[in-house]
Amino acid sequence: MNEVLYGEILGPEEEDPKREQRVRRRFWATFRKAARVIPYTDEVVAAYYCALDPTTPNRVRGILLAALAYFVLPVDALPDFLAGVGFTDDLTVLVAAISMVRSHITPAHREAARAVLEDEDIPTGKPFR
């Protein structure tokens, strides 16, 4: 860990198509499992739509995609299967990321989140492309 350089983990993010694909593939399945324990689920889904919106600045998309990728990846600081605490690290990362870029989450993103949370079907399309 002492040999990790700035930029390898926390530096400016360039558009990473693999990260976006990974988030798109795993977000809804992970979200369904975590929805029972995550407060502010509407903000998490709005952040998802903000990250996929091509009009969102790349820096903001990078921050949100990194946080959402951490959320959907099966390996993290606290395994998600630990009852009561498994999603706390994911939640901390998501809250920090959303707090940093909240001004970029638009009413359209929030409306898309509200619509999908009211619907039983999981969306598969690309709402902003």
Side-chain angles (χ1 to χ4, degrees):
M1 189 67 177
N2 292 337
E3 296 180 19
V4 175
L5 301 174
Y6 175 78
E8 290 180 347
I9 296 176
L10 299 175
E13 296 286 332
E14 290 193 24
E15 195 73 20
D16 182 357
K18 289 181 184 176
R19 180 179 291 158
E20 182 177 336
Q21 291 168 0
R22 192 169 39 244
V23 168
R24 282 182 186 275
R25 266 195 326 272
R26 298 181 182 167
F27 178 78
W28 292 110
T30 305
F31 179 79
R32 289 277 182 174
K33 286 190 272 182
R36 296 182 303 271
V37 295
I38 293 180
Y40 311 112
T41 54
D42 53 337
E43 280 294 299
V44 174
V45 177
Y48 169 81
Y49 284 120
C50 182
L52 300 182
D53 184 348
T55 64
T56 300
N58 285 338
R59 179 187 66 82
V60 173
R61 292 183 79 207
I63 290 168
L64 290 173
L65 285 171
L68 291 165
Y70 186 83
F71 174 65
V72 300
L73 290 175
V75 178
D76 55 30
L78 290 172
D80 296 338
F81 63 83
L82 294 176
V85 296
F87 283 105
T88 56
D89 61 321
D90 302 80
L91 181 58
T92 301
V93 170
L94 285 169
V95 167
I98 291 169
S99 295
M100 290 171 50
V101 299
R102 178 166 273 129
S103 65
H104 294 279
I105 299 175
T106 68
H109 302 140
R110 287 190 171 87
E111 181 55 37
R114 203 171 6 264
V116 76
L117 289 172
E118 291 173 358
D119 192 4
E120 289 296 317
D121 294 326
I122 296 174
T124 56
K126 298 178 180 181
F128 292 100
R129 291 201 176 177

